[in-house]
Amino acid sequence: MDANSIGPALLEMLKLDLQGVSVDHTRADSVAWIPDKEGNFSVKSCYGTLCRNHISFGPKGEFDKALILVWKVEAPMKSKAFGWRCFINKIPTRGALYRKGIILFPNSVCAFCRCSEEDSANLLLTCFCVDLVWREIVEWIGFVNYKAVEIKDSFLWWYKFGRKARVRKGKEGVVWLAVFGIFG
């Protein structure tokens, strides 16, 4: 890349940014992870950085609460990671793949009902085929008045139901993660 392809204004900004920077030719280059005190990367420090920069949705603190609680459930890491990805709307649904130009429109409809565009909430909660499964499970365990349309609310309701039903600590969200795993 040469100076002509960058643009004169951008080149001047780069020169200003580099003023006062000196190169130490006696040391080898190294990489430092700035959010960590020691400069080392860890999944914990990365997660902490992402959580600090995340803008919550819904009632203050509720979204963050779901993000924290899902990791406390005694379930396989793969299941907890999938639940967390559902909270932040990062699962590859047909609707998401269509918006990214990966698939064409006729293929973006829900795989179960073929009635509406497949998004996270439709695929995992509101599709009438999926809703039949949720209703059977709810009736089976005696969870009354359950009807969620948002993923984070659904998890928090199941978690609170588990606490109320005195489910052993760490097992409160297992049913929710298991059912989500079936559809995901």
Side-chain angles (χ1 to χ4, degrees):
M1 184 180 298
D2 64 355
N4 293 330
S5 65
I6 294 176
L10 190 57
L11 189 58
E12 284 304 313
M13 285 176 45
L14 183 59
K15 285 180 184 177
L16 286 172
D17 285 343
L18 293 176
Q19 277 182 341
V21 174
S22 61
V23 178
D24 185 354
H25 295 285
T26 62
R27 291 182 15 188
D29 288 342
S30 65
V31 177
W33 174 249
I34 296 171
D36 185 56
K37 289 181 242 173
E38 292 82 35
N40 298 319
F41 175 83
S42 69
V43 173
K44 182 179 180 180
S45 68
C46 183
Y47 179 75
T49 301
L50 291 172
C51 286
R52 278 190 303 276
N53 295 326
H54 185 74
I55 299 169
S56 298
F57 299 102
K60 186 174 176 80
E62 284 296 305
F63 188 77
D64 296 330
K65 186 176 180 181
L67 282 172
I68 292 166
L69 290 175
V70 75
W71 297 111
K72 294 182 179 184
V73 176
E74 291 179 13
M77 185 58 70
K78 188 176 187 178
S79 298
K80 294 189 279 191
F82 180 73
W84 184 75
R85 288 181 67 205
C86 291
F87 293 151
I88 62 172
N89 200 23
K90 296 293 180 189
I91 59 172
T93 62
R94 290 178 176 201
L97 295 173
Y98 168 70
R99 283 187 296 283
K100 292 177 182 179
I102 297 171
I103 61 173
L104 301 176
F105 177 71
N107 294 329
S108 69
V109 295
C110 176
F112 298 121
C113 67
R114 304 233 186 262
C115 294
S116 59
E117 184 176 290
E118 183 181 278
D119 63 10
S120 300
N122 170 265
L123 178 66
L124 301 166
L125 291 173
T126 60
C127 165
F128 75 85
C129 297
V130 173
D131 186 54
L132 291 172
V133 175
W134 279 114
R135 279 194 268 159
E136 288 293 323
I137 293 169
V138 163
E139 185 179 320
W140 175 52
I141 65 170
F143 187 177
V144 293
N145 297 326
Y146 172 79
K147 178 63 179 161
V149 293
E150 290 188 35
I151 293 171
K152 65 175 174 55
D153 292 336
S154 173
F155 174 78
L156 290 171
W157 287 354
W158 277 94
Y159 193 90
K160 288 173 186 173
F161 173 77
R163 298 291 301 259
K164 192 175 176 182
R166 298 179 191 224
V167 172
R168 191 176 67 166
K169 187 174 176 115
K171 301 292 186 185
E172 298 94 340
V174 170
V175 172
W176 186 88
L177 286 172
V179 175
F180 262 46
I182 292 168
F183 299 121

